[in-house]
């Protein structure tokens, strides 16, 4: 199942994209895609509800904006340097343990919303990533059981302001958390539709030019390892986002380096998780 949310910013409603591409409004189901939904078997309950009600759900037009496919999660945890080639282009050693950092949930936007280059930022960068949506409360989970705690997967563009992230003191979170820096979607794909999250092609184009083109088979730490590792240090709640890192081809790693400017258009995708597209604007 593909979970979507649609409507004006801040006023989104839950929907589902069917196998034929038709999008339907499931507001009548009675709950948004939030912690309570994911933590109380919401996916299974919605699937059963649709068996009886699918044909009477309103159809959503293609002209309607898609919002983030879940309501603001409790946290976004990201893994850095999780592809060997990306570590190399960044001039950093391959990590012995996953590098983890937080990204503010206020950075979340819809899949095709504009990305705003922040005030004082001059090195805003792109990062296509596979993100995991947690399906149930997770603490000290083993790698063997980790996938049992997954609700689904979603496409994430982990936008980064490198001057904030790397040139100013403190942690990476400053360069990762600006408003609009987490486009998510177009949809959450439930885990039953993804045979192997550790073998998915992912790519990103800037103004039509392919700059990232890789596979999650190149992970240093795979999905199971990442979930298990993070759960040793914090409890993951239903609906939390875990983003698994980006492959090589980011602007920071190019020679000469290349960064986003107003008018640039990013288009990105992952096998089975759809495609998103964002235009860059300067902060007003």
């Amino acid at each position: 199942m593909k979970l979507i949310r649609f409507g004006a910013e801040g006023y989104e409603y839950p929907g589902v994209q069917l196998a034929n591409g038709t999008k339907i409004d499931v507001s009548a189901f009675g709950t948004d895609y939030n912690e309570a939904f994911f933590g109380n078997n919401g996916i299974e309950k919605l699937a059963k509800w649709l068996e009886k009600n699918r044909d009477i759900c309103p159809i959503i037009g293609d002209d309607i904006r898609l919002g983030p496919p879940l309501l603001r999660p409790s946290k976004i945890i990201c893994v850095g340097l999780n592809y060997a080639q990306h570590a190399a282009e960044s001039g950093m050693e391959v990590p012995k343990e996953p590098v983890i950092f937080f990204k503010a949930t206020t950075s979340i936007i819809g899949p095709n919303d504009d990305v705003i280059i922040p005030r004082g930022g001059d090195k805003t960068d792109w990062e296509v990533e596979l993100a995991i949506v947690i399906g149930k409360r997770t603490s000290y989970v083993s790698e063997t059981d980790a996938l049992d705690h997954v609700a689904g997967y979603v496409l994430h563009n982990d936008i980064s302001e490198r001057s904030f992230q790397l040139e100013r003191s403190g942690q990476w979170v400053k360069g990762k958390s600006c408003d609009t820096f987490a486009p998510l979607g177009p949809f959450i794909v439930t885990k039953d539709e993804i045979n192997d999250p550790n073998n998915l092609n992912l790519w990103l184009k800037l103004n039509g030019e392919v700059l990232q083109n890789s596979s999650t088979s190149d992970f240093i730490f795979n999905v199971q390892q990442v979930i298990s590792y993070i759960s040793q240090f914090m409890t993951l709640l239903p609906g939390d986002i875990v983003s698994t890192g980006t492959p090589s081809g980011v602007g920071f790693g190019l020679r000469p380096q290349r960064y986003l400017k107003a008018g640039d258009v990013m288009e990105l995708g992952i096998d089975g998780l759809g495609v998103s597209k964002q235009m860059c604007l300067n902060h007003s």
Side-chain angles (χ1 to χ4, degrees):
M1 187 159 40
K2 296 178 174 65
L3 307 179
I4 63 172
R5 295 174 70 248
F6 67 95
E9 182 178 357
Y11 298 93
E12 293 93 349
Y13 297 94
V16 167
Q17 181 170 312
L18 303 178
N20 64 4
T22 300
K23 298 187 284 289
I24 59 173
D25 180 347
V26 299
S27 301
F29 176 66
T31 183
D32 207 340
Y33 302 145
N34 53 20
E35 180 180 338
F37 172 83
F38 291 108
N40 290 284
N41 298 314
I43 291 172
E44 293 82 357
K45 292 175 181 176
L46 176 58
K48 291 181 179 179
W49 183 87
L50 283 170
E51 291 175 2
K52 296 181 179 180
N53 296 282
R54 178 176 303 169
D55 292 341
I56 61 173
C57 291
I59 293 176
I60 304 163
D62 290 336
D63 59 330
I64 302 299
R65 170 186 174 269
L66 290 179
L70 77 172
L71 196 58
R72 188 182 299 168
S74 82
K75 51 189 172 291
I76 307 172
I77 311 100
C78 300
V79 181
L81 306 174
N82 201 24
Y83 292 75
Q85 290 185 358
H86 176 52
E89 73 175 354
S90 301
M92 301 178 185
E93 293 184 4
V94 173
K96 295 180 176 61
E97 298 184 31
V99 176
I100 59 175
F101 59 91
F102 283 96
K103 193 175 182 89
T105 59
T106 49
S107 64
I108 293 174
I109 57 172
N112 304 308
D113 291 345
D114 294 332
V115 166
I116 308 300
I117 298 171
R119 292 180 185 174
D122 59 0
K123 296 181 179 178
T124 303
D125 207 346
W126 55 86
E127 294 190 11
V128 59
E129 302 200 5
L130 170 68
I132 305 157
V133 181
I134 297 298
K136 57 184 176 182
R137 191 180 182 95
T138 306
S139 182
Y140 296 107
V141 70
S142 68
E143 292 178 21
T144 301
D145 296 333
L147 292 185
D148 294 337
H149 294 248
V150 172
Y153 303 94
V154 65
L155 174 63
H156 174 213
N157 193 354
D158 177 22
I159 307 293
S160 308
E161 174 49 52
R162 303 300 188 188
S163 66
F164 297 172
Q165 177 190 359
L166 302 173
E167 298 173 10
R168 301 177 67 169
S169 61
Q171 299 179 344
W172 288 1
V173 64
K174 296 196 303 293
K176 298 285 188 172
S177 295
C178 302
D179 291 349
T180 76
F181 270 25
L184 292 175
F187 37 68
I188 293 169
V189 178
T190 52
K191 67 178 179 181
D192 59 291
E193 294 195 10
I194 301 297
N195 291 330
D196 183 2
N198 299 308
N199 188 24
L200 298 173
N201 292 323
L202 69 171
W203 54 270
L204 182 143
K205 297 178 183 179
L206 180 62
N207 301 325
E209 178 185 359
V210 177
L211 293 178
Q212 293 187 278
N213 188 14
S214 187
S215 169
T216 60
S217 62
D218 290 331
F219 278 150
I220 297 169
F221 305 103
N222 67 23
V223 167
Q224 296 94 314
Q225 291 171 315
V226 163
I227 294 170
S228 176
Y229 182 84
I230 294 173
S231 78
Q232 309 306 308
F233 304 98
M234 68 192 78
T235 296
L236 297 170
L237 296 177
D240 280 355
I241 297 289
V242 176
S243 202
T244 58
T246 198
S248 60
V250 299
F252 175 74
L254 298 177
R255 297 295 180 266
Q257 292 179 345
R258 180 176 173 184
Y259 294 110
L260 296 168
K261 60 185 185 301
D264 282 347
V265 175
M266 296 170 285
E267 187 175 6
L268 55 148
I270 300 178
D271 286 353
L273 302 186
V275 174
S276 69
K277 190 174 185 178
Q278 303 97 39
M279 177 178 284
C280 298
L281 302 176
N282 287 326
H283 197 288
S284 57

